[in-house]
Amino acid sequence: MKTLHRFILKSYIGPLVMTFFITMFVLLMQFLWRYIDDLVGKGLEWDVIAELLLYASAGLVPMALPLATLLASLMTMGNLGENNELLAMKSAGISLPRILSPLIVLTIAISIGAFFFSNNVLPYTNLKISTLLYSVKQQKPELIIKEGVFTNLIEGYSIKVSERDQKTGLLRRILIYEHKNENTNTTVTYADSGYMQPTADQKFLVATLFNGNTYKEVRDKSKNLYQQKQKLPAQHQKFEKQVLIFELKGFKLERADENFFKDSYQTQNIKQLQKVEDSLKQAFNTQIKLFSQNIIRNSIFRNPYWLNRDSTKKVKIKLDVDSLYNTLKPEEKIRAIERAIDNARSTKSYISSSKDEFYYKQKYIARHKIEWNRKFTLSFACFVFFFIGAPLGAIIRKGGLGTPVVISVIFFIFYYIINLTGEKFARELIWDPNLGMWVSSFILLPLGIFLSYKATTDSVIMNADFYIDKIKKVLNILKFFLKA
């Protein structure tokens, strides 16, 4: 490898790694903000949170990698131009395509790696994070005894505490209703004070109560509910110290079965998506054929043997519907009209329900096509963004995190809006999924070619001094004419 190539790669890899992790951090914070309500107050262990962040980071790579490529290429070529290193290379007879050749090879390698990541790693991480997020959402909130509020998180019990000492943890005026057997408050416990602490394994809650009373209604199962309401004997127990143990169910994270999420299009690779899509298309075409036959058999023709008729033979019977209708009696005409209206209404209802079903099945097929194309758009987006950022950096000749960040964010927002719009149109069957997923890349590709051509020919199209000089010349001409 030539010294020049090593220098270019060294100048590029540093900003690429830095911008990639900065972008990942920003997107990860956005992910946490989105799911903060589902995570806070669940008492999750640190390893569960770390696992969730790891899978979420992998899922954010398709957004972070193209933006990092754009920003790093723009910064690298901008730094070289600002320090006159790019000018020195061109003065030595080295063209811009030759200067960019090692970066082009590296970008191709990154694009290929991004494709294999999207096809092999991303479906696995999507499966894991879908399962983990579902499990977290199903978990009960962390058990917190609040003052003056009934807590119903423990199954079969309602607990209320009037005061809580924040320093010692002592609870005052504790009221416990037990209704786990018959869903009624048959047992009531009141204590002047006490402590409540979960066990080390978080399976039980131990309540130590002081100076209280327990009241319990005694039900006679041999009598019906009305007879029991007439008179209910009760038990009264006074205690100085009592220990109650509550079983904590649902407070520990229980992971859902991954098999429930394996059929999702987001958890499949290209081969699986293609197989499922072919099966869905075949089933859809079969349903369309059956729908056509049912419409003809049940609506257009009422003869059950019409499908068995030899279609090569011409029908010799000519029937005049108007003449036949006129031969009917008045009551027969009414019955015929009513029957025709009923048939038309049932056919309309059948067509309407089938139309909605066909629409949703087409949308489901389109989702598989979208995911199939998404495996390739990530790789191609990295390639396109490099050929936007590198020539643009060579033209503007500004390095650092100032101007390159602003320009990169503008281009990425433009790309992201077009990509979201195209994907939405594809999901709603307005556009073909192939067009919807590739429209953003195909719009930016001519821009990359144009900027590459301008950078190769040393254009000043993005140089602010060029426009400032032009404006000054126009102002001087206007001043000359005004004085004349």
Side-chain angles (χ1 to χ4, degrees):
M1 182 182 292
K2 296 182 180 180
T3 305
L4 176 63
H5 292 172
R6 287 199 298 268
F7 172 74
I8 297 294
L9 288 174
K10 184 178 178 181
S11 302
Y12 178 72
I13 291 177
L16 178 63
V17 175
M18 180 189 68
T19 53
F20 177 75
F21 282 105
I22 291 176
T23 308
M24 286 291 296
F25 176 77
V26 174
L27 295 176
L28 194 59
M29 292 301 102
Q30 182 186 15
F31 170 83
L32 289 176
W33 183 259
R34 179 181 178 183
Y35 292 101
I36 191 69
D37 293 336
D38 298 321
L39 302 177
V40 173
K42 295 295 184 70
L44 299 176
E45 299 290 339
W46 68 268
D47 56 335
V48 176
I49 298 177
E51 183 182 1
L52 183 64
L53 294 180
L54 176 63
Y55 293 141
S57 300
L60 295 173
V61 169
M63 290 184 62
L65 191 57
L67 180 57
T69 302
L70 173 63
L71 186 54
S73 58
L74 187 56
M75 288 177 58
T76 301
M77 300 307 296
N79 287 328
L80 294 178
E82 189 176 16
N83 298 329
N84 294 323
E85 293 170 332
L86 189 61
L87 180 61
M89 296 178 195
K90 291 183 178 180
S91 301
I94 305 175
S95 63
L96 183 63
R98 186 179 173 186
I99 296 173
L100 295 177
S101 59
L103 301 184
I104 294 174
V105 174
L106 179 61
T107 303
I108 294 175
I110 292 175
S111 300
I112 295 174
F115 167 74
F116 284 102
F117 179 87
S118 298
N119 189 46
N120 300 314
V121 179
L122 202 56
Y124 175 80
T125 58
N126 286 337
L127 175 62
K128 291 294 184 179
I129 195 172
S130 299
T131 307
L132 190 56
L133 276 176
Y134 178 81
S135 303
V136 170
K137 290 180 180 180
Q138 298 302 314
Q139 186 184 10
K140 289 184 179 180
E142 187 179 12
L143 179 61
I144 300 176
I145 307 297
K146 297 182 180 180
E147 297 179 358
V149 179
F150 276 101
T151 300
N152 300 311
L153 295 176
I154 301 177
E155 185 177 353
Y157 295 91
S158 296
I159 303 174
K160 181 182 178 181
V161 175
S162 297
E163 296 180 10
R164 181 188 185 96
D165 193 328
Q166 300 297 332
K167 294 183 179 179
T168 62
L170 181 65
L171 307 176
R172 298 187 183 279
R173 297 191 295 278
I174 304 171
L175 186 61
I176 302 175
Y177 287 99
E178 179 182 347
H179 46 79
K180 62 180 181 179
N181 293 328
E182 301 177 8
N183 201 25
T184 57
N185 299 326
T186 57
T187 304
V188 181
T189 301
Y190 176 82
D192 179 67
S193 59
Y195 295 93
M196 290 187 182
Q197 296 291 337
T199 57
D201 55 4
Q202 301 292 324
K203 292 183 178 180
F204 299 94
L205 177 68
V206 180
T208 305
L209 308 178
F210 304 104
N211 301 325
N213 298 273
T214 298
Y215 305 92
K216 183 177 181 180
E217 295 179 353
V218 180
R219 298 289 179 92
D220 189 356
K221 296 183 178 180
S222 62
K223 298 181 179 180
N224 57 36
L225 186 60
Y226 176 77
Q227 293 174 338
Q228 292 185 42
K229 287 182 178 180
Q230 303 301 318
K231 186 176 181 181
L232 294 176
Q235 294 179 355
H236 174 214
Q237 178 183 359
K238 187 175 182 180
F239 59 87
E240 294 183 358
K241 180 180 179 180
Q242 185 180 33
V243 178
L244 300 178
I245 300 177
F246 305 97
E247 185 179 3
L248 299 179
K249 295 181 180 180
F251 291 92
K252 188 176 181 181
L253 182 65
E254 298 181 0
R255 295 179 181 266
D257 190 0
E258 293 182 356
N259 293 324
F260 291 115
F261 303 92
K262 281 188 176 181
D263 294 334
S264 174
Y265 43 82
Q266 295 179 335
T267 62
Q268 299 175 356
N269 55 30
I270 287 180
K271 186 177 180 180
Q272 293 171 334
L273 287 171
Q274 189 64 52
K275 182 178 180 181
V276 174
E277 183 183 344
D278 292 341
S279 301
L280 291 174
K281 284 183 177 179
Q282 184 177 1
F284 181 75
N285 293 332
T286 302
Q287 190 173 2
I288 288 289
K289 185 178 180 180
L290 292 176
F291 169 77
S292 302
Q293 292 179 354
N294 290 334
I295 285 293
I296 296 175
R297 181 187 297 113
N298 299 325
S299 300
I300 301 178
F301 297 96
R302 287 290 176 176
N303 185 359
Y305 303 103
W306 75 272
L307 286 175
N308 299 326
R309 182 178 59 83
D310 189 357
S311 59
T312 59
K313 295 182 179 180
K314 293 183 179 181
V315 180
K316 298 180 179 180
I317 300 176
K318 293 183 180 181
L319 185 63
D320 190 350
V321 179
D322 294 333
S323 300
L324 181 62
Y325 177 77
N326 293 328
T327 59
L328 299 176
K329 298 178 180 180
E331 59 272 11
E332 292 177 342
K333 290 182 179 180
I334 295 174
R335 287 198 298 269
I337 293 174
E338 290 177 349
R339 183 177 298 178
I341 293 175
D342 291 339
N343 293 337
R345 287 174 178 174
S346 62
T347 303
K348 180 181 178 181
S349 176
Y350 176 63
I351 293 175
S352 179
S353 61
S354 299
K355 178 183 176 182
D356 295 337
E357 185 179 358
F358 292 155
Y359 177 71
Y360 288 117
K361 287 191 174 183
Q362 285 180 310
K363 288 182 66 174
Y364 191 61
I365 295 174
R367 288 294 182 94
H368 288 78
K369 290 183 179 180
I370 290 172
E371 289 300 322
W372 189 90
N373 284 277
R374 199 191 304 276
K375 310 297 183 185
F376 299 93
T377 54
L378 169 61
S379 304
F380 195 71
C382 296
F383 193 75
V384 170
F385 275 134
F386 172 78
F387 280 100
I388 291 177
L392 196 58
I395 293 173
I396 64 176
R397 300 175 185 178
K398 295 290 183 180
L401 289 173
T403 305
V405 171
V406 175
I407 297 176
S408 299
V409 169
I410 292 174
F411 273 103
F412 186 76
I413 291 176
F414 178 69
Y415 166 81
Y416 191 64
I417 291 174
I418 298 176
N419 187 57
L420 283 181
T421 304
E423 184 176 344
K424 182 178 181 180
F425 284 175
R427 289 199 306 264
E428 299 298 328
L429 303 180
I430 300 175
W431 285 356
D432 184 85
N434 299 321
L435 174 62
M437 294 303 295
W438 287 96
V439 63
S440 55
S441 298
F442 287 152
I443 288 177
L444 292 180
L445 181 60
L447 179 61
I449 297 173
F450 173 75
L451 291 176
S452 299
Y453 170 76
K454 289 296 182 181
T456 304
T457 57
D458 294 327
S459 173
V460 292
I461 188 174
M462 296 296 293
N463 192 344
D465 296 334
F466 171 77
Y467 295 101
I468 292 174
D469 292 338
K470 292 294 185 182
I471 293 174
K472 287 181 178 180
K473 289 181 180 180
V474 173
L475 292 176
N476 290 332
I477 294 173
L478 291 175
K479 287 180 181 180
F480 174 79
F481 281 106
L482 289 175
K483 290 180 180 180

